[in-house]
């Protein structure tokens, strides 16, 4: 029978270290993964899906339409739902020979509504984007975060500038 020396024990220990590091890395990767849940309802009133706004520098009027809404939700520490909401927009300028570059600010209102259709809270969302020179149509996505209590829903509406 071969006798175990301290060097042999140390070699076995070091041989096991790579496996331990890999296992630790895999476990830590799992611990940081988000746990997504179903989002509360998101809606928009018909009157709030389309609005006219003005560009900051040129004063040019452009049309804005909601072009879809998507939410990604996680359970909050305080029992709420933490929502990351992405609002797709369609910005369109009138046909013109001179389409100058400019900043376009879009304002939206976000309302949290309870099960009795009462507004619990509201917030104004300002999203800055812009048109490149010669660009007539632009499809940006405004993203923001909001916490919604259980049983409540989110209502989004464009705020016209004209």
């Amino acid at each position: 029978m071969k006798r175990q020396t301290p060097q042999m024990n140390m070699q076995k220990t070091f041989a096991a270290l790579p496996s331990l590091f890999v296992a630790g890395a895999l476990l830590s990767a799992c611990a940081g993964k988000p746990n997504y849940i179903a989002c509360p309802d998101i809606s928009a009133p018909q009157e709030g899906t389309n609005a006219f706004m003005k560009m900051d520098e040129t004063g040019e009027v452009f049309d804005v339409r909601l072009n879809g809404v998507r939410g990604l939700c996680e359970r909050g520490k305080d029992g709420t739902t933490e929502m990351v909401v992405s609002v797709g927009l369609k910005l369109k300028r009138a046909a013109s020979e001179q389409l100058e570059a400019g900043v376009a600010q879009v304002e939206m209102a976000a309302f949290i509504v309870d099960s009795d259709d009462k507004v619990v809270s509201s917030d104004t969302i300002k999203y800055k984007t812009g048109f490149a020179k010669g660009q007539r149509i632009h499809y940006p996505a405004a993203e923001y975060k909001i916490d919604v209590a259980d049983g409540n829903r989110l209502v989004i509406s464009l705020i016209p500038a004209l």
Side-chain angles (χ1 to χ4, degrees):
M1 184 187 307
K2 206 172 193 187
R3 196 172 133 204
Q4 295 272 333
T5 65
Q7 289 86 6
M8 292 173 103
N9 287 336
M10 200 180 278
Q11 286 174 346
K12 285 182 183 178
T13 302
F14 285 129
L17 282 178
S19 299
L20 290 174
F21 284 130
V22 169
L26 289 173
L27 288 174
S28 67
C30 291
K33 274 189 174 179
N35 185 16
Y36 295 115
I37 61 172
C39 288
D41 287 340
I42 304 172
S43 63
Q46 183 64 34
E47 308 82 30
T49 60
N50 189 358
F52 289 101
M53 300 188 185
K54 280 188 179 183
M55 290 179 52
D56 290 356
E57 287 107 23
T58 64
E60 181 182 352
V61 175
F62 63 96
D63 179 50
V64 181
R65 294 176 191 257
L66 293 180
N67 197 31
V69 178
R70 182 177 55 213
L72 193 58
C73 298
E74 293 182 72
R75 176 67 54 207
K77 293 177 184 149
D78 56 356
T80 61
T81 300
E82 295 176 356
M83 298 179 72
V84 176
V85 181
S86 180
V87 181
L89 301 168
K90 178 182 180 183
L91 283 62
K92 184 177 179 183
R93 303 198 285 185
S96 171
E97 287 186 29
Q98 294 248 343
L99 294 173
E100 295 298 319
V103 175
Q105 182 167 280
V106 176
E107 287 193 52
M108 294 177 274
F111 302 96
I112 297 177
V113 180
D114 68 11
S115 58
D116 296 324
D117 286 336
K118 293 181 183 168
V119 175
V120 175
S121 68
S122 63
D123 193 17
T124 301
I125 303 155
K126 294 182 180 189
Y127 176 71
K128 277 195 178 189
T129 186
F131 286 97
K133 184 174 180 154
Q135 184 181 24
R136 184 164 178 252
I137 299 174
H138 183 41
Y139 293 95
E143 191 172 282
Y144 67 98
K145 295 180 182 180
I146 191 165
D147 292 340
V148 178
D150 285 344
N152 293 348
R153 60 189 172 91
L154 179 63
V155 178
I156 296 172
S157 179
L158 293 168
I159 301 172
L162 302 176

